Amino acid sequence: MLGLKLPTDPRWVNIVEKNIEEILTDHAYCEQKAASNAISVIVKYAEYPDLVEAMTAISIEEMEHFGMVHNKILERGLKLGFERKDPYVNDLADHLRKENSGGSRANQFVNRMLFAAMIEARSCERFRILSEEINDMDLRNFYRNLMESEARHYTTFLNFARKYGEGVDVDARWQDFLAFEATLMSKYGRSETMHG
C-alpha cells in the first residue's frame, strides 16, 4: 500500500533497542513537527475548506500522539530531550526544491502534499517494523496502534495532491519521488531516530 521502493533494514530495530530514550524523544518531536506542518498547510491553503478540516483533524491527532509518546517517556522514568535535526526530512525537501521548485500554486501545493505523504509513509513503515520486531511488548502494541493513523495521514495527503493538483501529473511525480526516496534510504537506518 505504501509504495516505498526500499524497505528499512530490520536490523534498525536492534539499534533502536539500545537507546529507547532517544527513539522516543525523536518520535515525540516528529509528531510535533507533523502537527505544525498541518497547521501551516491551513495557513497557506485556506481556500480549500475540506483541506482545512482534514488538516485541523491531523494537527489535533498529531499533538495527541505527541502527548502519548511523552507519557511513554515519563512512564519509563525518562525525560523528553531537546529536538533533534532530521536529515532525512531535509533531504526530501531539498530534492523537491531542486526538481519541482517554483511554478504554479498547484505545483507548489502538490510538492507540499507529496512531501508530507512521504514522511507519513516512511513513518508508518517504521512503526510497522517496531510493532513486529521490537522486544518490548508494550512498545510493540503502542506502535501498532500508531501505525494505522500514519497510514490514514499518508493517503489523506496523496488524495489532496490529486484533488487540487490541477495540471500536475501527481502520480508520475509521486513515482519519481518514491524512486528518489529509495536512493536516500541507503544512507539511513543506522541511528536510533525515527527516520535515521
Side-chain angles (χ1 to χ4, degrees), residues 11 61 67 72 115 125 145 149 165 174 184 187-188 190:
R11 292 174 294 183
E61 188 173 22
K72 284 286 170 208
F115 173 73
E125 188 248 8
N145 292 333
S149 67
W174 178 241
L184 275 187
K187 68 178 183 177
Y188 292 108
R190 297 184 181 96

Side-chain angles (χ1 to χ4, degrees), residues 18 20 79-80 162 179-180 182:
K18 291 176 183 170
I20 296 297
K79 290 182 183 173
L80 178 67
R162 291 177 178 126
F180 168 75

Side-chain angles (χ1 to χ4, degrees), residues 27-168:
H27 177 191
Y29 283 112
C30 287
E31 299 289 358
Q32 179 268 318
K33 289 175 204 171
S36 296
N37 179 63
I39 293 166
S40 67
V41 167
I42 292 169
V43 171
K44 192 159 177 79
Y45 300 102
E47 68 267 32
Y48 304 128
D50 55 343
L51 177 74
V52 170
E53 188 175 345
M55 293 301 110
T56 300
I58 286 176
S59 66
I60 291 167
E61 188 173 22
E62 299 287 19
M63 284 311 296
E64 287 171 352
H65 292 170
F66 174 87
M68 291 163 62
V69 178
H70 187 239
N71 286 339
K72 284 286 170 208
I73 291 169
L74 297 179
E75 284 170 14
R76 291 160 180 268
L78 306 172
K79 290 182 183 173
L80 178 67
F82 293 103
E83 180 182 357
R84 276 65 172 153
K85 290 184 179 181
D86 195 333
Y88 168 82
V89 169
N90 292 336
D91 286 345
L92 292 178
D94 286 347
H95 175 76
L96 286 176
R97 271 193 295 273
K98 289 174 189 165
E99 294 298 311
N100 306 298
S101 62
S104 68
R105 185 164 171 78
N107 184 63
Q108 294 171 17
F109 178 80
V110 168
N111 281 353
R112 187 71 179 263
M113 295 297 105
L114 296 187
F115 173 73
M118 187 67 76
I119 295 167
E120 296 285 353
R122 185 55 72 181
S123 297
C124 181
E125 188 248 8
R126 291 281 172 99
F127 288 179
R128 182 192 57 76
I129 292 170
L130 290 169
S131 75
E132 294 173 356
E133 303 293 336
I134 200 165
N135 288 318
D136 185 313
M137 293 308 292
D138 177 57
L139 289 180
R140 268 192 188 213
N141 294 330
F142 182 65
Y143 281 108
R144 177 73 191 171
N145 292 333
L146 291 178
M147 180 182 70
E148 294 167 7
S149 67
E150 298 296 305
R152 279 195 319 276
H153 298 170
Y154 150 78
T155 57
T156 297
F157 285 112
L158 265 186
N159 288 339
F160 277 118
R162 291 177 178 126
K163 183 172 185 178
Y164 294 121
E166 187 177 334
V168 179

